[in-house]
Amino acid sequence: RRHHGVLRGPSSTRPTIWLLEENGVNAIAKDFSTCRFLFRNIVGRFLIWRESKAYRRLIGLRGIPFFYGTIDGLALVIEQIQGRNVEHLEMENKLSEEFFRAFRGLVDRFHERGLAHCDLKRAPNIFLGNDGQPYVIDWAASISASEFGIFPLKLIYQRFLLDDCTAIIKLKLRHIP
C-alpha cells in the first residue's frame, strides 16, 4: 500500500518489483503476489523463503542491502541501494581496480559465511553504490554450505563458489582487461 512506483512489472513467472517509501526511507519489494496462483503459491513462496534465509545469514555485511523482512510469505523487502547496477556500465565508464578489490572482498566474506550467490554472472545483481562500493542483490538462487555439506554435494557447492569468483573475472575483463 505504500508503494512509490513500479521498477519492474510482473509476468506470469516474474515478481513485481516495487519502490517503497516510508518516513523518508526507500526500500525495494520483490512481490510474487501478482503472479499466477500456482506459481505464486509454490515457486514464489519457495523463492522468498530461500532469499530471506540468505539475507538473514548476511545481516551486517557491508555490500548486502539491509533486509527488512517478508510480507505474507510472498514478498521480500530490502533496502534500496543508492547507485546503479553494472549492466552495460562499461559503455559509459569503467569500474576501477579498487571496486574489484572491494567486490572480491565482499564475495570472500559471504563465502566465509557459508553462502554461494550462484548468479553473479548476471550484471543486474551487482550494484555500484553512490559510495563507489559494490553491492550484491537477488539471493534467490543462492545455496549454503550446510545444504551441500556431504559428499558429493560438497563438490557441487565448491563449484558454485568457483563460479562466483569466475563471474568477478568476467566482469573485470569487460572493464579493465
Side-chain angles (χ1 to χ4, degrees):
R1 285 178 220 190
R2 295 192 168 118
H3 74 84
H4 194 61
V6 175
L7 293 179
R8 185 185 77 205
S11 73
S12 60
T13 60
R14 292 184 75 180
T16 304
I17 306 295
W18 300 96
L19 175 59
L20 310 174
E21 187 273 326
E22 185 170 333
N23 299 325
V25 176
N26 291 326
I28 301 293
K30 180 188 279 189
D31 180 9
F32 282 93
S33 71
T34 56
C35 296
R36 291 185 178 158
F37 180 81
L38 284 177
F39 189 84
R40 168 180 68 226
N41 286 299
I42 297 171
V43 177
R45 286 184 186 281
F46 175 73
L47 292 175
I48 292 297
W49 171 77
R50 282 190 69 73
E51 191 165 5
S52 65
K53 190 169 82 164
Y55 275 115
R56 282 188 197 97
R57 182 174 272 195
L58 298 169
I59 285 176
L61 190 61
R62 184 174 182 193
I64 306 300
F66 182 79
F67 173 65
Y68 291 111
T70 60
I71 302 168
D72 299 330
L74 291 171
L76 174 104
V77 182
I78 61 168
E79 166 190 18
Q80 180 186 14
I81 301 303
Q82 299 302 313
R84 63 170 290 187
N85 71 51
V86 300
E87 186 172 42
H88 306 302
L89 185 63
E90 70 275 5
M91 295 177 194
E92 299 169 31
N93 62 7
K94 304 290 183 187
L95 293 170
S96 67
E97 186 68 47
E98 294 79 30
F99 174 88
F100 285 102
R101 272 196 294 276
F103 187 30
R104 179 56 197 244
L106 173 58
V107 171
D108 288 344
R109 287 191 307 278
F110 63 70
H111 285 175
E112 288 166 4
R113 291 199 182 186
L115 278 179
H117 186 276
C118 304
D119 204 15
L120 287 179
K121 63 189 170 296
R122 287 189 19 77
N125 291 337
I126 305 162
F127 272 70
L128 169 62
N130 288 348
D131 58 2
Q133 294 299 307
Y135 292 84
V136 176
I137 64 164
D138 195 359
W139 290 85
S142 68
I143 60 171
S144 69
S146 60
E147 295 170 325
F148 286 72
I150 60 170
F151 183 83
L153 297 178
K154 194 173 211 169
L155 297 174
I156 295 169
Y157 177 73
Q158 290 171 348
R159 176 58 197 199
F160 280 115
L161 294 176
L162 183 60
D163 286 349
D164 283 354
C165 296
T166 302
I168 298 169
I169 295 168
K170 288 180 180 178
L171 182 63
K172 191 173 183 179
L173 285 172
R174 291 197 340 238
H175 287 268
I176 48 175

